[in-house]
Structure formats: C-alpha cells, structure tokens
C-alpha cells in the first residue's frame, strides 16, 4: 500500500525510552525523567476526586462540543465561548490547523529550531516550509515577515519557544502583527503561558479583537499537570473557529479529560504554587550555570536549554542517562525540565562534573 510520498520522509514521534527500559538497560534502581516538560509536582488533588465522583457513562460518547468546559474556560480567560476550540492536546490542534489551511500550493513560516510538530504536519500536507533561524535563541520576526508572500497561510510563533525557552516580547509581537497581511494566520503557541513571568511577555488575548488573523494556543498539559489526559484549546475569531471546527474529529476530547480540566480550573492555587516553585528552581539553575560557565538561554518555561563547552549534546545525554537521568538532546544542546528541588540538586552535581569549572 502506497502512502503519500512525503510521509516516507518523516519518522513517527518517539517520546524516548520508558523509565522501565532505562532501568533494565543500565541496571539502575532509580530514574528521574526531566525530558518532556511535565509538571514535576503532578496535578491538583481535586482531579482524582473529580474523576472518581463524576464518572460518566463509558458507553456514551463525550460532549463533542465540550459545553461545560467551554463555559468554564471562557469565564477563566474572559473570552466568548464561540472563540474556543478544544483538541486532544495541542498536537491535534496543530494537525487541525495544518489540515484546514495548508496544501501543496501554500507555504508556512516558522523558526528553526522550534516545536517539531509545525514542520511535521506541513510536510504531510505537502506545503512549502520556510524556516528562519533563531537570532540569539529568539524568533527573528523581521526575517519571518520577509518570508511571507501571497501563498503563505500560517506563521508559527512558539512563545515561549520550545526548546530554547526564549520569548518574543509584547512590542516585538505587536509590531510583527501589524506587518502581516490579513490572509496569513499567525498562530502563537503559548503552551507554557502560565510559567512566563517576564513583565513584557505579551498578553495576546487582550489584542485578539484587533487582529482577526491571530490564533492563540493554550493547554492543560503543562502547568495544570494534565498531560496524560491530552486536552488543549485554541482561542481566535468566532468565524475562524467555525471553519476549523469542520476539521476537528467528532468527540475528540474524552469525558474524563473534560472533567479533569474543569476540576483543574477550580484549583488555580495549585498552578500558582507550581509557577512559584518553578521560578525559584529556575533561578537556582541560572546561578549554577553562571558559576560553572555553562551556556544557557534564560527561559520563560519550565525547562532550560543548555550547552556544555567541549561536549556534544549526545555525549551529555548519554552521560546523564547512564546515571539514571533522562533529559532531551537536540543537535546543538540539551533541554532540561525543571524538576523538584532535590532532583535539581542531584542533576547540578552531575553537571558539575562536566563543566569547565571543577572547583
């Protein structure tokens, strides 16, 4: 059976070895996973209670429109219900957008490097991909604007960017939006929005009415700690939501996921505490990296991208995994999820052995 020829150029997403695999392979008793930017503090205790006491009928399809969750999220964000579209994580939302807008007659603009699924789905739709290298680790919006033409359908801005953790500030984003033609959809992926603490981080929902071609992505997977439930959403113009909804699979978010997300919105204190802990541990990492002369990008997410002088990212990855620490290797560096205090202490000890400063 022949599939689209462009699919043969891709690889299926591989999340990496499981903790059990790593234990067996390296004969280890303990594994610490800091590779996938999950919330190390878990999720609100209200989640377990909610899915235990509000068990839906497993023989009945979930609410395809997610009406109760839609109302809750609209109130939380202060947007209209018709501005929301829900998906099975943001991966599916990226798929929905790509399927609806991209084709072989179109192109899409994105940074290099950034979240891999933008490119992955553009390849499947056979669209031309225009990648613009990061500038000092940050999206080069001026050059991205230069890449836009009549055939451009989507510009992707991951903010904070994955894997670097860097961000486009309010002034830079609004200046860019003013340059973008109305036929181009600007997708701002804010998967790590809750973790961002910079004073000039853009509040995109406040400018949605000014730019009908702006579409914002958010998720419950990160700060809310619901990655296993797979539920994310997009916010945009109601007219666009109606069109994108046609590309959404029926019943794409489960009843349990909707229940968990509603419960999470009723315990925002958990999110606030997670962000405080993340900020404190992030700053401790900064101090450590500076003392050890390890390059890093300041991050607005719950992860930090580093480069150790004189070592390849694969060598660093291998050294750590043999010690029981799973991080994420990229061609030019390592992405480390910010964990709990005791885990961060131990990882710093291991990284110290690799740093140029051994004192």
């Amino acid at each position: 059976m022949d599939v689209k020829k462009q699919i043969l150029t891709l690889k299926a997403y591989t999340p990496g070895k499981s903790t059990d695999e790593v234990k067996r392979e390296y004969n280890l008793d303990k594994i610490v996973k800091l590779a996938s930017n999950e919330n190390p503090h878990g999720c609100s205790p209200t989640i377990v209670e909610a899915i235990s006491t509000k068990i839906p009928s497993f023989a009945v399809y979930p609410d395809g429109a997610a009406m109760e969750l839609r109302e809750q999220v609209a109130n939380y964000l202060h947007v209209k219900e018709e501005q929301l579209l829900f998906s099975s994580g943001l991966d599916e939302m990226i798929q929905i957008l790509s399927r609806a807008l991209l084709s072989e007659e179109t192109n899409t603009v994105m940074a290099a490097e950034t979240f891999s699924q933008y490119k992955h789905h553009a390849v499947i739709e056979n669209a031309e991909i225009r990648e613009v290298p990061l500038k000092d680790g940050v999206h080069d919006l001026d050059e991205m604007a230069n890449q836009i033409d009549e055939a451009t359908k989507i510009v992707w801005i991951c903010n904070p960017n994955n894997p670097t953790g860097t961000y486009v500030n309010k002034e830079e984003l609004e200046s860019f939006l003013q340059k973008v033609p109305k036929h181009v959809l600007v997708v701002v992926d804010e998967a790590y929005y809750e973790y961002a603490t910079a004073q000039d981080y853009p509040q995109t929902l406040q400018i949605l009415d000014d730019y009908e071609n702006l579409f914002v992505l958010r998720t419950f997977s990160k700060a809310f700690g619901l990655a296993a439930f797979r539920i994310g959403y997009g916010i945009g113009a109601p007219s666009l939501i109606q069109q994108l909804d046609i590309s959404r699979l029926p019943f794409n978010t489960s009843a349990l996921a909707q229940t968990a997300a509603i419960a999470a919105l009723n315990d925002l204190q958990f999110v606030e505490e997670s962000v405080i802990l993340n900020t404190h541990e992030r700053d401790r990492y900064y101090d450590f990296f500076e003392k050890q002369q390890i390059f890093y990008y300041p991050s607005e997410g719950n992860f930090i991208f580093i480069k150790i002088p004189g070592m390849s990212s694969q060598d660093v990855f291998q050294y750590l995994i043999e010690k029981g620490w799973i991080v994420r290797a990229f061609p030019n560096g390592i992405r480390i999820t910010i964990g709990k205090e005791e885990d961060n202490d131990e990882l710093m000890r291991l990284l110290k052995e690799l740093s140029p400063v051994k004192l």
Side-chain angles (χ1 to χ4, degrees):
M1 181 65 67
D2 293 330
V3 299
K4 294 178 180 178
K5 62 182 180 180
Q6 61 267 28
I7 290 180
L8 301 177
T9 68
L10 299 170
K11 293 182 180 179
Y13 179 79
T14 52
K17 296 179 181 179
S18 69
T19 55
D20 288 339
E21 285 180 287
V22 175
K23 281 183 179 180
R24 288 195 300 268
E25 185 171 350
Y26 297 105
N27 193 28
L28 298 166
D29 296 323
K30 177 185 176 182
I31 300 296
V32 179
K33 183 187 175 190
L34 298 176
S36 300
N37 302 341
E38 295 138 332
N39 189 331
H41 309 290
C43 64
S44 166
T46 63
I47 306 303
V48 175
E49 180 183 355
I51 63 175
S52 299
T53 60
K54 299 180 180 179
I55 300 175
S57 171
F58 295 151
V60 177
Y61 287 112
D63 177 5
M67 291 307 297
E68 185 178 358
L69 177 59
R70 181 181 302 274
E71 180 182 1
Q72 296 276 351
V73 173
N75 290 335
Y76 168 58
L77 298 179
H78 305 293
V79 298
K80 299 174 183 177
E81 293 182 27
E82 55 266 32
Q83 289 181 279
L84 296 169
L85 182 68
F86 293 91
S87 59
S88 177
L90 289 187
D91 298 295
E92 190 200 19
M93 187 64 72
I94 294 165
Q95 181 187 54
I96 290 171
L97 288 162
S98 300
R99 186 179 185 187
L101 295 170
L102 299 180
S103 67
E104 60 184 353
E105 293 85 17
T106 67
N107 69 67
T108 179
V109 179
M110 64 193 70
E113 97 191 288
T114 190
F115 187 48
S116 62
Q117 291 300 293
Y118 311 147
K119 183 175 182 178
H120 184 90
H121 287 286
V123 170
I124 292 174
E125 301 303 331
N126 210 20
E128 179 191 352
I129 299 162
R130 299 183 176 181
E131 295 181 279
V132 176
L134 297 172
K135 188 175 182 180
D136 297 325
V138 183
H139 282 66
D140 185 350
L141 294 187
D142 289 337
E143 183 54 33
M144 290 176 75
N146 291 337
Q147 292 295 319
I148 294 172
D149 62 19
E150 293 179 357
T152 305
K153 287 293 184 179
I154 306 177
V155 175
W156 304 92
I157 301 175
C158 192
N159 205 36
N161 186 46
N162 180 7
T164 58
T166 55
Y167 75 105
V168 171
N169 67 34
K170 178 180 183 294
E171 182 180 350
E172 293 166 339
L173 180 62
E174 292 207 47
S175 176
F176 176 76
L177 288 169
Q178 291 168 11
K179 300 175 186 175
V180 176
K182 299 302 181 186
H183 73 274
V184 178
L185 184 67
V186 178
V187 178
V188 181
D189 184 344
E190 296 181 344
Y192 302 92
Y193 168 83
E194 290 81 9
Y195 287 112
T197 57
Q199 292 298 310
D200 59 349
Y201 182 84
Q203 298 303 315
T204 46
L205 301 189
Q206 297 177 6
I207 59 173
L208 275 175
D209 290 342
D210 298 327
Y211 302 97
E212 288 196 358
N213 60 335
L214 173 62
F215 194 70
V216 180
L217 308 186
R218 300 272 180 92
T219 184
F220 286 95
S221 293
K222 304 303 180 183
F224 286 92
L226 301 185
F229 287 96
R230 309 308 301 125
I231 188 155
Y233 56 97
I235 314 107
S239 58
L240 175 63
I241 295 295
Q242 287 181 351
Q243 294 173 326
L244 292 176
D245 201 31
I246 298 169
S247 295
R248 178 183 62 83
L249 292 175
F251 316 115
N252 62 328
T253 59
S254 74
L256 287 176
Q258 293 177 32
T259 299
I262 291 167
L265 288 172
N266 289 320
D267 187 10
L268 295 177
Q269 183 178 349
F270 170 81
V271 176
E272 293 169 3
E273 290 172 353
S274 294
V275 172
I276 290 170
L277 290 169
N278 181 77
T279 303
H280 178 264
E281 292 302 301
R282 180 193 66 191
D283 292 344
R284 286 209 308 128
Y285 266 122
Y286 290 171
D287 290 340
F288 169 78
F289 293 143
E290 288 168 6
K291 289 176 182 176
Q292 298 302 316
Q293 298 178 16
I294 295 174
F295 175 86
Y296 70 95
Y297 286 120
S299 174
E300 291 299 316
N302 67 334
F303 57 91
I304 305 179
F305 191 85
I306 69 169
K307 302 176 187 179
I308 296 181
M311 293 193 70
S312 71
S313 57
Q314 191 56 45
D315 286 343
V316 177
F317 172 84
Q318 191 62 34
Y319 167 80
L320 291 175
I321 200 169
E322 289 178 8
K323 305 288 186 181
W325 295 78
I326 307 175
V327 296
R328 182 69 184 269
F330 290 84
N332 61 339
I334 293 288
R335 190 191 67 195
I336 299 171
T337 303
I338 298 169
K340 295 180 179 179
E341 180 178 5
E342 59 271 24
D343 294 333
N344 297 331
D345 285 341
E346 179 63 16
L347 186 57
M348 288 182 205
R349 186 187 69 78
L350 293 172
L351 291 174
K352 191 173 182 179
E353 297 298 316
L354 303 180
S355 76
V357 180
K358 296 296 191 295
L359 298 178

